[in-house]
Amino acid sequence: MKVYNTMTHKKEEFKSINKNRIKMFVCGPTVYDKSHIGHGRTYIAFDVIARYLKYKGYSVFYLQNITDIDDKIIKRANEIGVEPLKLAKEFEELYFHDMELLNVNNVNFYARAIEHLDEIINQIQTLIDKKFAYETSTGVYFDESRFEDFGKLSNRNIEDLNVHRVNPDKTKRNHGDFALWKKRDDGPSWDSPWGPGRPGWHIEDTAITETYFGGQFDIHGGGLDLIFPHHEAEIAQMESATGKKPMVKYWLHTGFLNVSGEKMSKSLGNFITIKELLEEYDPQVFRFFVLSTHYRSPIDFSDESLQQSQNSLKRIHKLMETIDGILKADIAENHEADEKYFKILENTKEEFLDAMDNDFNTPIALSVLFNFIRDINKGINEGKIPKNMFKEIKELFNEFGDILGLNFSVESRNNDLTEELLNILIDVRKKLRENKNYELADEIRSMLRDAGIHLEDK
Ligand code: AMP
């Protein structure tokens, strides 16, 4: 299996640090607003990466942080007059809910910054003790000039960085020195050896990864925008604090989801929230749309592309329905059956996995799948598919569906639909009761009971 490593700018053979165990960290969201579909793109991509690594037999520990202390959170909370920590908690819950809807469910542990303040303070203290950091009247800063590898991920030269950047804080040693601890009282603050304040953004992540992974781990992911300064700062902090290099074996970055060529972002205000999108499209359609482009390439968001994804998914579901029908009908073997279809199935599996082995190339994997669909549809029309192959085709689709987090099977789609419809009925009944229309509410309950569903008001 090969993965593209941002650090070396090339595809490398993937070899985990510890036999079959993988430690994977992906930067989580800063919870100051609803998640938009750009976030969805990045987290779906890493969800598929985690799924595929598990499929390959690795035991994956996928860790994500939640940035719940940040200037942006405090600013937003002040604007709308709520407690910053309360605001963060609310958006964190919405984030989890959105991820669940998108079938992004492979993160083993979400680590909140505010629950790791001791670890953050300890890591800052280590950096001070090792003379990589220093205290000023405004905070504690990382001394960029002390870390000679600074810029190695983003390919930047430290002198250039220092020359071009403005230094608003004259107490700092270098322009590029970044805050590990901010002595601020304009928001939530915590005690520290340097007085009350709050941590800087970059240190949250390395304190968390050091806690759970130690100083070195296999995969670090995030969107392209995080390479500089965030990931560069993470490397400087972790490698200086632990003395171990490299902090990360493979750096993986996702391309942006753009609208009219511009990155979708909270700060640009050009975003469509996941919730808004899912009012119009099935989450599976969005997932399919995301996976139709390679994770490192930009994706342009458009309704037409989503429609196309919807149609493609329909083609798969239609074939699955046909196959289910054939399996149920228990047809007799066709004497025209052609054994070559077994070879086609075998090749399809091989080509699909080859594509995934090649830096998780989902668009190629999907095109392999659609070539297969074309062949099978033709075979069915001509009555040439051997009878005992239908079950295998179905199993293959389920296997691919699990890797991609897409639901190809018709039964489970029906189950999802039943649950959705049931929830709608329960909601309608609740509203009827709120409006004191008990008669109709009871009638619904009794009809549900007749259908074998017992509803209790507690
Ligand atoms: P944030 O909450 O802005 O820190 O973003 C959380 C994650 O989503 C980061 O890995 C970002 O790189 C990623 N992200 C934000 N906007 C986009 C976008 N338009 N396309 C793809 N990924 C994005």
Side-chain angles (χ1 to χ4, degrees):
M1 186 170 66
K2 288 204 157 99
V3 298
Y4 182 89
N5 189 352
T6 312
M7 181 63 86
T8 57
H9 313 286
K10 51 178 196 264
K11 277 188 202 163
E12 293 176 18
E13 196 60 47
F14 183 82
K15 261 189 149 145
S16 53
I17 298 172
N18 285 315
K19 272 193 167 163
N20 75 329
R21 285 175 178 255
I22 294 179
K23 296 172 179 171
M24 164 163 150
F25 175 77
V26 174
C27 289
T30 305
V31 280
Y32 73 101
D33 208 336
K34 291 179 190 133
S35 303
H36 58 68
I37 57 177
H39 298 125
R41 192 266 160 108
T42 286
Y43 296 121
I44 287 174
F46 284 108
D47 184 68
V48 171
I49 289 173
R51 281 167 186 267
Y52 190 61
L53 293 170
K54 286 182 191 174
Y55 176 85
K56 298 283 283 185
Y58 290 104
S59 161
V60 181
F61 194 96
Y62 177 1
L63 176 68
Q64 212 179 88
N65 70 305
I66 298 282
T67 300
D68 53 359
I69 321 172
D70 188 78
D71 294 352
K72 287 186 225 153
I73 299 175
I74 296 167
K75 184 167 173 277
R76 182 81 202 277
N78 288 341
E79 277 163 13
I80 53 176
V82 295
E83 264 294 301
L85 298 181
K86 190 162 171 276
L87 179 102
K89 190 88 199 127
E90 275 167 24
F91 285 119
E92 177 195 291
E93 270 163 30
L94 286 177
Y95 168 69
F96 290 150
H97 182 65
D98 288 340
M99 292 302 116
E100 199 181 312
L101 290 175
L102 294 179
N103 205 17
V104 168
N105 51 16
N106 280 279
V107 175
N108 294 85
F109 186 62
Y110 288 102
R112 299 184 184 93
I114 58 164
E115 287 171 2
H116 293 82
L117 280 150
D118 289 346
E119 290 85 350
I120 291 172
I121 289 170
N122 283 343
Q123 200 175 64
I124 298 175
Q125 191 59 58
T126 305
L127 289 169
I128 295 175
D129 294 345
K130 292 191 171 182
K131 311 245 177 313
F132 285 104
Y134 59 93
E135 186 184 353
T136 74
S137 56
T138 57
V140 179
Y141 293 88
F142 186 90
D143 184 341
E144 209 184 53
S145 67
R146 291 268 297 127
F147 186 69
E148 52 187 35
D149 283 349
F150 204 89
K152 68 179 169 181
L153 180 68
S154 54
N155 236 351
R156 290 171 203 231
N157 178 313
I158 196 162
E159 271 84 45
D160 292 346
L161 286 171
N162 278 333
V163 170
H164 296 302
R165 282 161 70 187
V166 187
N167 181 7
D169 180 352
K170 300 288 175 238
T171 64
K172 286 198 314 190
R173 290 181 192 161
N174 313 289
H175 293 263
D177 292 356
F178 52 88
L180 303 174
W181 189 262
K182 300 177 180 182
K183 296 182 181 176
R184 300 271 288 263
D185 57 6
D186 58 342
S189 78
W190 290 266
D191 283 337
S192 80
W194 321 285
R198 60 178 184 262
W201 174 36
H202 314 306
I203 198 79
E204 292 175 13
D205 291 28
T206 46
I208 285 169
T209 43
E210 193 189 355
T211 302
Y212 299 99
F213 290 164
Q216 293 182 300
F217 51 99
D218 299 280
I219 296 177
H220 190 316
L224 266 183
D225 52 334
L226 299 186
I227 297 177
F228 184 86
H230 187 50
H231 292 162
E232 205 69 77
E234 278 190 47
I235 296 172
Q237 290 165 173
M238 185 79 117
E239 294 187 358
S240 307
T242 65
K244 292 182 195 158
K245 286 182 193 197
M247 164 195 176
V248 168
K249 198 158 179 205
Y250 304 99
W251 284 94
L252 271 55
H253 290 98
T254 48
F256 296 143
L257 182 140
N258 297 325
V259 207
S260 318
E262 201 173 29
K263 181 193 169 209
M264 178 171 287
S265 81
K266 291 186 261 201
S267 47
L268 290 175
N270 60 351
F271 64 92
I272 300 171
T273 65
I274 293 174
K275 185 168 180 290
E276 281 162 353
L277 187 89
L278 298 189
E279 278 160 14
E280 283 193 50
Y281 292 98
D282 187 301
Q284 293 273 304
V285 171
F286 180 63
R287 232 184 131 100
F288 189 98
F289 161 75
V290 166
L291 299 177
S292 307
T293 302
H294 187 252
Y295 75 89
R296 281 192 288 118
S297 306
I299 313 186
D300 243 312
F301 175 78
S302 72
D303 268 315
E304 297 84 74
S305 318
L306 276 156
Q307 294 288 351
Q308 269 172 24
S309 301
Q310 195 159 29
N311 293 339
S312 304
L313 263 179
K314 272 190 194 148
R315 270 185 73 197
I316 303 181
H317 292 142
K318 186 145 189 314
L319 175 63
M320 290 295 97
E321 237 162 352
T322 307
I323 290 181
D324 275 349
I326 294 173
L327 286 171
K328 275 198 198 109
D330 195 19
I331 48 155
E333 181 64 278
N334 193 322
H335 57 269
E336 300 252 331
D338 191 338
E339 293 293 312
K340 82 168 182 195
Y341 283 99
F342 279 109
K343 188 74 198 144
I344 293 181
L345 185 132
E346 207 177 291
N347 289 346
T348 299
K349 182 160 178 176
E350 207 175 295
E351 285 168 25
F352 183 97
L353 298 180
D354 279 351
M356 292 302 288
D357 276 343
N358 186 6
D359 195 27
F360 314 101
N361 201 325
T362 53
I364 300 283
L366 284 172
S367 71
V368 169
L369 198 65
F370 278 92
N371 287 339
F372 184 58
I373 292 176
R374 194 197 50 220
D375 290 343
I376 295 299
N377 277 332
K378 188 163 174 278
I380 292 176
N381 288 339
E382 293 170 356
K384 291 206 165 147
I385 309 278
K387 182 187 167 190
N388 57 352
M389 204 186 135
F390 288 107
K391 201 162 153 270
E392 281 187 43
I393 300 176
K394 196 174 160 176
E395 278 165 9
L396 189 74
F397 271 91
N398 286 341
E399 193 172 321
F400 290 169
D402 279 348
I403 292 174
L404 302 173
L406 289 170
N407 211 340
F408 295 148
S409 113
V410 184
E411 295 104 345
S412 47
R413 285 187 59 74
N414 286 345
N415 286 343
D416 288 350
L417 188 63
T418 308
E419 187 155 336
E420 255 174 63
L421 290 173
L422 198 57
N423 284 334
I424 292 174
L425 264 181
I426 292 173
D427 273 355
V428 169
R429 188 174 166 273
K430 196 169 147 228
K431 289 203 175 103
L432 286 170
R433 282 168 58 81
E434 279 161 11
N435 293 330
K436 304 208 173 3
N437 191 342
Y438 297 112
E439 205 177 318
L440 195 51
D442 285 349
E443 201 177 323
I444 291 179
R445 184 168 57 179
S446 120
M447 285 193 287
L448 284 172
R449 192 180 300 123
D450 290 346
I453 295 156
H454 293 263
L455 210 60
E456 278 182 43
D457 297 307
K458 287 194 179 173

